[in-house]
């Protein structure tokens, strides 16, 4: 989950440096910003909803001499974007300030416990339990208090904390990135290397379980009680590349983040034994679940294709009708709705005009509404009865990648949860398999050079066709969208069984046809369609399961790790995302901002 945190301690004024470093992390989130600086006996705190620049402008007249402070730019997860939910958060005494990036899964129970011990909470965030825990454990040693506090946390965190009376910034890290920047007479903490590059190229990448502090003259890192050394790295990147984490484009950075974004989306919602728990998130619709009649899934573009995986999964598990519609069509169709019907809106931005309009219309007609949304506090997230967030973090590239796999993951969670509730199904075997998907995604990502070689062979082609059946059809559609969107090549996808009803006329000698064949149950049927294009001279490229004998018959193919049919979509889509990326790179296209397109489509 993305937010950006920074800290500075040194001889210079901290405030301008904190703003400068924070701005280079704005790609990680931009819902709100905040700073806390250590003054003599108190902490100066300023935070507000909106961009870092707005906060900076508001503080122009302040002359704060402090050389120690922390800063935060937020991508909201718990609690909507607002002034009071902005970080840093303080303890009750106002003597401890904390910034945090990550998700505290057990914040509800900790908050109740701390409230019962008299702590006063001012925000809706999960983070606020941390300063209160620090207050609880502080007995003169901030590092000890921090180590005790994190022993109570479940989830992920990169934390930076300041305590009045201590000219140090204390930190802890687990499953969220954090680096130390080592300067001359000054040191930094940051979520990512680009933040500190204008000040130093010497960094330490902290690891899970690390705690410690930075002061102007030194830093110390501990694992438990043991002081340890970590390697100092000299960063070779230039500033621009660094903002993309050293990658040439946001698109490839975001593709490679998918193991983490799926993990984050699953986090706290599925237990090790495979049981899915969404009762808190679905609470506003709790009394409607047993009367669930039909489900309409409505979305645009990539979100629509993620919805296709959702449709196949939900209807097969729940045995109820699930319809899917493109939002711009749905809103002008005379859709007959009945009591008990649900509308699921899928959207990365949460602001897509057609999807939002469909939500508003159907709410008026009495449907229960569920948003599957990435941007916290966005219009769809605010207006739907329930929002199940995809925790993919900010997606900067116009072409959507990590949002798709996170959306499909949310459909899996929702389907499993409802199947247990409505059908009394033992979902644990499926749930356990779902838990293996992030690791399998990592295996797919590790083979990216294979896709790069495939792109070398294909980038001179002008027409591409994609085929698949069942859930593979949705993947084929998404693969074709990705390719046309950023390469400007012609890329069309068809349900494999539809070929002979027209599209087969487009096939000519040598044309690439990308066949997605990951559904065991439909494999033989798809192969008969492959035969049809083969017979007309097409060059077939397979996206197959490991061990499929078809691989030997194809000159070009990519295999994904084995899993059950339901869960192949997030694995099969990744080679297609990468293929679109590498072909477009070979063609020298503007990958992150393709022509004629915008990231958020807020007009009809
Ligand atoms: O923000 P949304 O998910 O609602 O956006 C929907 C589409 O505009 C979006 O997925 C679009 O198709 C992407 N550019 C595809 O990569």
């Amino acid at each position: 989950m993305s937010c950006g945190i920074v800290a500075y301690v040194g001889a210079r004024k901290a405030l301008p440096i904190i703003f400068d470093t924070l701005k280079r992390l704005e790609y990680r989130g931009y819902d709100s910003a905040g700073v806390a600086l250590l003054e003599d006996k108190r902490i100066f705190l300023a935070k507000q909803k909106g961009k870092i620049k707005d906060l900076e402008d508001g503080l122009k007249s302040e002359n704060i001499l402090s050389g120690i402070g922390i800063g935060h730019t937020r991508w909201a997860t718990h609690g909507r974007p607002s002034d009071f939910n902005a970080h840093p958060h303080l303890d009750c005494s106002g003597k401890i300030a904390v910034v945090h990036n990550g998700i505290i899964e057990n914040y509800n129970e900790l908050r109740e416990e701390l409230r019962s011990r008299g702590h006063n909470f001012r925000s809706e965030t999960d983070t606020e339990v941390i300063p209160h825990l620090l207050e609880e454990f502080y007995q003169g040693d901030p590092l000890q208090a921090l180590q005790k506090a994190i022993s109570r946390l479940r989830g992920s965190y990169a934390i930076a904390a300041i305590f009045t009376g201590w000219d140090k910034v204390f930190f802890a890290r687990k499953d969220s990135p954090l680096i130390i920047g080592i300067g001359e007479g000054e040191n930094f903490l940051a979520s990512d290397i680009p933040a500190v590059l204008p000040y130093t190229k010497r960094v330490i990448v902290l690891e899970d379980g690390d705690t410690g502090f930075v002061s102007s003259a030194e830093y110390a890192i501990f694992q438990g009680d043991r002081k340890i050394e970590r390697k100092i790295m000299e960063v070779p990147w230039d500033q621009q590349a660094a903002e993309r984490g050293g990658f040439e484009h946001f698109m490839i950075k975001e593709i490679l983040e998918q193991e983490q974004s799926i993990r984050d989306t699953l986090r706290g919602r599925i237990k090790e034994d495979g049981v899915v728990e969404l009762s808190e998130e679905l609470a506003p619709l709790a009394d409607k679940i047993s009367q669930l009649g039909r489900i309409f899934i409505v979305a645009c573009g990539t979100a629509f294709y993620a919805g296709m995986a959702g449709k196949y999964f939900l209807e097969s598990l729940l045995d109820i009708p699930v319809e899917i519609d493109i939002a711009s069509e749905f809103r002008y169709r005379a859709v007959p709705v009945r009591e008990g019907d649900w509308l699921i809106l899928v959207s990365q931005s949460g602001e897509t005009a057609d999807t939002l309009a469909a939500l508003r219309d159907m709410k008026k007609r009495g449907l229960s509404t569920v948003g599957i949304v990435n941007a916290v506090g966005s219009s769809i997230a605010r207006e739907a009865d329930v929002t199940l967030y995809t925790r993919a973090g900010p997606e900067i590239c116009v072409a959507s990648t990590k949002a798709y796999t996170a959306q499909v993951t949310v459909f899996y969670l929702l389907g499993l949860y409802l199947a247990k509730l409505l059908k009394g199904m033992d979902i644990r075997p499926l749930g356990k398999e779902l838990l293996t998907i992030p690791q399998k995604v990592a295996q797919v990502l590790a083979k990216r050079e294979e896709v790069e070689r495939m792109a070398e062979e294909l980038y001179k082609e002008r027409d591409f066709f994609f085929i698949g059946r069942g859930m593979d059809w949705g993947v084929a559609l998404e693969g074709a969208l990705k390719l046309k969107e950023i390469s400007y090549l012609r890329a069309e996808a068809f349900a494999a069984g539809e070929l002979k009803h027209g599209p087969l006329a487009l096939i000519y000698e040598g044309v690439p046809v990308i066949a997605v064949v990951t559904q065991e149950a439909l494999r033989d049927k798809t192969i008969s369609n492959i035969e049809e294009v083969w017979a007309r001279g097409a060059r077939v490229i397979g996206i197959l399961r490991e061990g499929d004998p078809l691989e030997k018959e194809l000159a070009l193919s990519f295999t994904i790790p084995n899993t059950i049919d339901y869960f192949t979509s997030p694995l099969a889509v990744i080679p297609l995302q990468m293929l679109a990326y590498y072909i477009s790179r070979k063609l020298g296209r503007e990958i992150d901002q393709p022509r004629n397109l915008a990231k958020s489509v807020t007009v009809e």
Side-chain angles (χ1 to χ4, degrees):
M1 184 52 47
S2 285
C3 282
I5 70 172
V6 297
Y8 173 80
V9 45
R12 294 192 263 179
K13 281 190 200 171
L15 188 59
I17 294 178
I18 288 174
F19 279 131
D20 186 48
T21 48
L22 260 191
K23 278 185 209 155
R24 272 183 295 277
L25 294 182
E26 209 162 20
Y27 73 88
R28 301 178 61 85
Y30 35 74
D31 294 332
S32 63
V35 293
L37 296 137
L38 211 56
E39 297 196 304
D40 252 1
K41 288 197 169 61
R42 63 171 213 128
I43 287 174
F44 170 88
L45 178 74
K47 53 184 194 167
Q48 67 184 44
K49 184 178 169 188
K51 298 254 180 191
I52 298 167
K53 182 80 177 59
D54 302 333
L55 180 68
E56 187 182 23
D57 288 348
L59 293 177
K60 276 264 153 62
S61 56
E62 302 273 350
N63 184 22
I64 301 162
L65 301 176
S66 168
I68 302 186
I70 55 181
H72 190 271
T73 180
R74 180 164 185 249
W75 178 257
T77 56
H78 292 74
R80 70 206 128 98
S82 68
D83 293 354
F84 58 86
N85 284 336
H87 297 213
H89 293 287
L90 300 180
D91 69 328
C92 299
S93 69
K95 293 189 166 165
I96 302 171
V98 168
V99 287
H100 161 232
N101 166 32
I103 297 170
I104 306 302
E105 290 166 17
N106 57 337
Y107 78 100
N108 259 331
E109 60 197 69
L110 288 173
R111 189 163 52 191
E112 287 324 304
E113 178 188 326
L114 287 159
R115 268 197 184 128
S116 71
R117 296 173 70 85
H119 290 264
N120 187 13
F121 282 77
R122 303 176 189 95
S123 79
E124 304 158 339
T125 64
D126 53 341
T127 301
E128 202 186 346
V129 299
I130 303 171
H132 292 288
L133 277 174
L134 290 174
E135 182 177 23
E136 195 70 17
F137 289 123
Y138 183 57
Q139 287 178 332
D141 182 341
L143 188 59
Q144 228 172 51
L146 182 57
Q147 287 168 343
K148 284 188 180 152
I150 59 173
S151 73
R152 296 294 316 279
L153 303 180
R154 269 204 328 267
S156 60
Y157 48 79
I159 297 168
I162 49 175
F163 291 68
T164 51
W166 291 86
D167 53 3
K168 292 173 176 166
V169 182
F170 298 88
F171 65 79
R173 180 218 137 123
K174 178 179 164 272
D175 289 337
S176 287
L178 191 63
I179 61 115
I180 300 179
I182 304 163
E184 297 288 330
E186 59 188 7
N187 286 308
F188 306 79
L189 292 171
S191 297
D192 204 353
I193 296 170
V196 302
L197 275 191
Y199 302 94
T200 178
K201 287 196 169 352
R202 298 179 73 219
V203 304
I204 293 175
V205 177
L206 293 166
E207 291 183 16
D208 281 351
D210 285 354
T211 59
F213 64 82
V214 288
S215 68
S216 56
E218 57 169 344
Y219 61 85
I221 307 170
F222 297 84
Q223 275 278 326
D225 293 340
R226 195 167 47 90
K227 189 163 184 230
I228 55 158
E229 297 297 326
R230 294 232 177 271
K231 203 168 139 245
I232 300 177
M233 171 178 143
E234 293 279 342
V235 183
W237 307 328
D238 68 24
Q239 185 59 48
Q240 264 204 336
E243 279 173 27
R244 298 183 297 266
F247 294 103
E248 208 177 325
H249 300 99
F250 276 108
M251 182 170 180
I252 189 70
K253 176 173 182 283
E254 288 162 6
I255 288 174
L256 294 173
E257 280 168 0
Q258 290 178 103
E259 178 198 351
Q260 190 58 44
S261 49
I262 296 174
R263 258 185 221 293
D264 284 338
T265 301
L266 293 173
R267 194 185 296 286
R269 291 164 160 170
I270 177 164
K271 300 203 204 107
E272 270 172 35
D273 61 2
V275 169
V276 174
E277 187 42 83
L278 293 179
S279 52
E280 248 181 61
E281 289 175 83
L282 284 174
L285 294 179
D287 55 346
K288 306 238 163 93
I289 293 178
S290 60
Q291 289 106 51
L292 176 56
R294 288 175 306 167
I295 296 176
F296 295 97
I297 299 172
V298 171
C300 302
T302 290
F304 174 81
Y305 298 139
M308 282 182 70
K311 170 191 160 70
Y312 281 94
F313 187 62
L314 294 178
E315 69 190 5
S316 111
L317 234 63
L318 305 181
D319 195 23
I320 56 174
V322 181
E323 288 192 23
I324 178 155
D325 256 282
I326 291 169
S328 55
E329 288 297 315
F330 183 79
R331 58 185 293 202
Y332 297 115
R333 221 154 51 78
V335 185
V337 298
R338 291 194 284 271
E339 213 184 321
D341 289 348
W342 284 25
L343 176 70
I344 301 183
L345 298 309
V346 193
S347 177
Q348 187 285 129
S349 62
E351 301 293 348
T352 300
D354 285 317
T355 315
L356 181 59
L359 162 67
R360 288 179 177 159
D361 291 351
M362 287 297 146
K363 264 191 100 168
K364 277 193 210 129
R365 295 179 63 188
L367 255 66
S368 299
T369 53
V370 178
I372 296 181
V373 176
N374 198 40
V376 175
S378 56
S379 303
I380 296 175
R382 284 197 316 271
E383 294 181 33
D385 297 326
V386 160
T387 294
L388 298 172
Y389 284 110
T390 50
R391 299 173 185 146
E395 196 178 58
I396 309 285
C397 178
V398 167
S400 187
T401 53
K402 60 178 179 169
Y404 169 94
T405 45
Q407 286 156 353
V408 174
T409 303
V410 170
F411 274 114
Y412 292 152
L413 289 166
L414 180 64
L416 292 176
Y417 180 72
L418 293 176
K420 178 164 180 241
L421 232 59
L422 292 171
K423 316 262 307 171
M425 188 174 153
D426 178 8
I427 58 165
R428 286 172 300 178
L430 286 177
K432 277 195 190 156
E433 184 58 28
L434 179 55
L435 283 168
T436 69
I437 296 301
Q439 176 50 32
K440 290 177 177 164
V441 163
Q443 288 171 34
V444 172
L445 294 171
K447 297 202 296 179
R448 60 182 180 276
E449 282 171 10
E450 280 183 30
V451 186
E452 198 169 355
R453 282 196 293 275
M454 204 182 260
E456 291 271 345
E457 290 207 27
L458 294 173
Y459 78 98
K460 290 194 181 127
E461 301 290 343
R462 285 295 161 265
D463 299 315
F464 287 82
F465 298 107
F466 293 69
I467 57 170
R469 279 176 180 258
M471 288 176 109
D472 284 342
W473 177 32
V475 171
L477 283 159
E478 172 58 7
L481 175 64
K482 225 65 320 156
L483 183 58
K484 71 174 77 135
E485 183 177 20
I486 58 167
S487 72
Y488 318 146
L489 297 172
R490 173 170 173 199
E492 300 300 337
F494 303 107
E498 274 291 291
L499 281 175
K500 54 183 152 313
H501 300 286
L504 209 49
L506 295 171
I507 301 300
Y508 55 85
E509 188 68 33
V511 69
V513 173
I514 297 169
V516 188
V517 196
T518 73
Q519 300 294 288
E520 275 291 286
L522 299 167
R523 179 178 176 276
D524 294 346
K525 299 281 170 207
T526 313
I527 288 182
S528 68
N529 303 125
I530 290 177
E531 303 279 358
E532 290 163 9
V533 294
W534 247 338
R536 273 98 191 155
R539 179 179 186 191
V540 176
I541 297 120
I543 304 295
L544 313 173
R545 285 168 175 256
E546 258 164 27
D548 190 326
L550 187 59
E551 190 186 354
K552 293 203 182 68
E553 295 179 47
L554 298 177
L556 276 181
S557 58
F558 185 94
T559 59
I560 60 165
N562 272 306
T563 179
I564 51 176
D565 278 6
Y566 290 140
F567 298 149
T568 58
S569 297
L571 304 174
V573 84
I574 292 172
L576 300 184
Q577 296 170 344
M578 295 196 286
L579 186 66
Y581 174 75
Y582 287 120
I583 287 180
S584 307
R585 198 176 72 156
K586 285 294 287 179
L587 295 172
R589 303 292 195 234
E590 277 283 322
I591 291 180
D592 285 334
Q593 287 172 326
R595 69 184 182 201
N596 308 337
L597 299 177
K599 184 67 187 160
S600 185
V601 185
T602 53
V603 291
E604 234 191 287

